[in-house]
Amino acid sequence: RTTAFPCATLLACTFDPDICYQVGRAGAEEMKENNLSVWLTPAVNIHRSPLCGRNFEYYSEDPYLAGTQAAAMVRGIQSLHIGACVKHLCCNNKETNRKDSDSRVSERAIREIYLRQFEIIVKTAHPYMIMTSYNEINGWRASESRALLDGILRQEWGFDGCITTDWWNYAEHYQEVNAGNDLRMPCGYPDRLEEALQKKLLTRGKLEKAARNILNLILKLD
């Protein structure tokens, strides 16, 4: 049995990070009671349309408000060494055909609107995990985008945690590893990785880096 905490949109309406911190910590306590280690929250995609089926999971149409409130949630969760998994990176803007949709957007809009809340969270709350989105972004699947994962997330922002996919996406596993995605959920394709390794489409170093990030995550958990 778990608590039905207020949805993210209502938490954002409080404009009070301390409330989000308390909800995060209380949720982490329940995670411990249920022998769980990573909470797949907060979800911080932008409210672009009132018709989006998961708006209740998202905080706001404003990236600063979403980032500030969700960062407090992350700090509350991880105060008890339970992992917070921030999602969905990025531009997850609709539910219809979201595994095959392509979000066409300028770099400026991506950085100022669709990535800003993730940047705030990474730099101020240091989440253990980040989940990539199903969709493509300007023709590249989010989980296969080296520019997004290794470039912006790790090199620019300094993220040192574990990156995971969303469940059952349509991306190619070895391309995800090449891009810096560590974990494929709910299961990977080791035969495809082995084939890519033999064809020199993937290096052992990339695999070792992904394994190291997963092991480092495990060591952080209570």
Side-chain angles (χ1 to χ4, degrees):
R1 181 176 299 180
T2 56
T3 302
F5 292 107
C7 72
T9 308
L10 184 56
L11 291 175
C13 288
T14 67
F15 290 84
D16 187 346
D18 185 58
I19 287 177
C20 291
Y21 179 92
Q22 293 179 46
V23 170
R25 187 175 176 88
E29 290 175 348
E30 294 191 2
M31 294 283 289
K32 285 177 176 287
E33 291 175 2
N34 288 279
N35 197 31
L36 300 171
S37 300
V38 178
W39 190 359
L40 303 183
T41 196
V44 293
N45 293 104
I46 292 298
H47 287 185
R48 290 188 68 250
S49 165
L51 301 179
C52 180
R54 296 180 75 174
N55 273 350
F56 68 96
E57 286 190 69
Y58 304 147
Y59 284 73
S60 173
E61 75 287 354
D62 179 78
Y64 178 78
L65 176 60
T68 302
Q69 295 289 86
M73 173 74 80
V74 170
R75 288 192 292 271
I77 294 168
Q78 295 184 171
S79 66
L80 296 178
H81 301 288
I82 293 295
C85 182
V86 184
K87 58 186 186 180
H88 309 86
L89 187 74
C90 66
C91 300
N92 183 64
N93 298 328
K94 65 175 187 175
E95 290 303 290
T96 304
N97 194 36
R98 66 182 180 140
K99 289 188 178 182
D100 250 345
S101 64
D102 187 357
S103 301
R104 297 297 176 108
V105 57
S106 69
E107 181 177 352
R108 179 176 179 180
I110 289 176
R111 288 182 176 273
E112 293 183 0
I113 300 173
Y114 299 103
L115 285 180
R116 179 62 176 142
Q117 66 275 30
F118 289 97
E119 181 180 9
I120 291 170
I121 295 167
V122 167
K123 290 183 175 179
T124 65
H126 310 290
Y128 292 177
M129 293 192 77
I130 287 182
M131 181 189 293
T132 53
S133 53
Y134 286 124
N135 53 281
E136 295 180 1
I137 305 165
N138 296 328
W140 286 88
R141 293 197 178 276
S143 62
E144 295 180 354
S145 175
R146 186 178 300 179
L148 176 64
L149 305 183
D150 187 53
I152 294 175
L153 183 56
R154 293 201 185 278
Q155 294 185 33
E156 291 189 27
W157 298 349
F159 178 69
D160 61 356
C162 182
I163 303 175
T164 181
T165 69
D166 207 336
W167 269 236
W168 297 117
N169 68 19
Y170 292 162
E172 176 60 62
H173 194 177
Y174 82 88
Q175 293 280 37
E176 292 175 326
V177 177
N178 272 329
N181 207 114
D182 304 309
L183 181 64
R184 183 177 176 88
M185 293 299 296
C187 65
Y189 298 95
D191 55 333
R192 300 282 290 171
L193 294 181
E194 179 65 27
E195 182 182 356
L197 193 63
Q198 292 176 357
K199 292 181 177 179
K200 300 187 184 305
L201 299 173
L202 177 66
T203 66
R204 181 182 176 88
K206 289 283 188 179
L207 289 170
E208 289 176 346
K209 183 177 181 181
R212 182 168 61 250
N213 288 333
I214 294 170
L215 292 172
N216 283 337
L217 167 68
I218 293 171
L219 292 174
K220 293 176 183 177
L221 302 173
D222 189 350

